[in-house]
Amino acid sequence: MPVVLTAAERHHLKKMAYGHKTPHQARQRATIVLLAARGRPNARIASQTRIHVDTVRTWRGRFVAGGLPALSDRRRSGRPPSFTPLHDAEVKALACQLPAESGTPLSRWSCPELALEVAARAIAPAISASTVRRLLKADAIKPWQHRSWIFIRDPNFPTKAARMLDL
């Protein structure tokens, strides 16, 4: 497959191939296309770049078929998400509530207890404690570090609290 480059494509590929901040894979792909534009065969490009000949053939073919945009990674399907954004929001809202509000005899939530409560309320399909931890970590929610002011023993608490709030 002959590779013919325009001046703009050549300039862009050189920036990709020699740029210090260019990701490694993008550098390799740009180098493959630049060498192919010089008329080098796939086997020689492979030995020169120490990249497998099948990889060279793939990226050369993709460039010929689609130009510069074809050098980026294709979208991969992957596994669909198990939890919707609504599930995420409901789990986070539950974590922000005190356990006593839901009738749970706890002073603060932990991830395993939150997972059990989410399953009991049927908020989301079966959820693990590690998934709850990951969801909460995304927004820096740490209900297990919540300081409870339920049992205030200091008789001067209202005046001290008022002073703290006036700061």
Side-chain angles (χ1 to χ4, degrees):
M1 281 177 264
V3 175
V4 180
L5 298 175
T6 64
E9 287 175 331
R10 185 177 305 279
H11 176 72
H12 186 75
L13 287 169
K14 282 185 177 181
K15 284 179 72 174
M16 283 176 60
Y18 303 116
H20 295 288
K21 295 183 180 182
T22 306
H24 180 68
Q25 289 179 332
R27 279 179 139 188
Q28 285 182 329
R29 295 167 190 175
T31 303
I32 290 168
V33 173
L34 285 170
L35 292 173
R38 292 182 186 165
R40 305 232 169 100
N42 291 343
R44 185 168 173 204
I45 294 171
S47 67
Q48 192 174 353
T49 59
R50 295 189 184 113
I51 300 171
H52 196 275
V53 70
D54 291 341
T55 305
V56 172
R57 187 178 305 113
T58 297
W59 290 110
R60 183 179 194 154
R62 283 192 190 177
F63 181 80
V64 169
L68 283 174
L71 293 181
S72 61
D73 285 332
R74 291 181 179 165
R75 191 172 181 279
R76 298 177 183 169
S77 61
R79 181 178 177 193
S82 302
F83 303 100
T84 65
L86 179 62
H87 290 137
D88 293 356
E90 288 177 347
V91 169
K92 291 172 185 177
L94 178 63
C96 292
Q97 294 177 2
L98 288 174
E101 293 175 17
S102 64
T104 308
L106 299 170
S107 60
R108 28 186 104 108
W109 288 115
S110 69
C111 289
E113 291 156 348
L114 273 169
L116 290 172
E117 186 68 21
V118 167
R121 291 187 184 195
I123 291 175
I127 189 168
S128 67
S130 59
T131 301
V132 170
R133 185 175 291 109
R134 182 177 43 80
L135 293 175
L136 298 180
K137 185 178 180 181
D139 287 333
I141 299 172
K142 299 178 182 177
W144 48 90
Q145 291 182 350
H146 173 74
R147 291 190 177 178
S148 177
W149 296 52
I150 297 172
F151 303 109
I152 301 166
R153 296 189 179 111
D154 187 0
N156 297 325
F157 176 76
T159 55
K160 290 179 181 178
R163 259 188 302 179
M164 293 301 289
L165 293 174
D166 289 337
L167 291 177

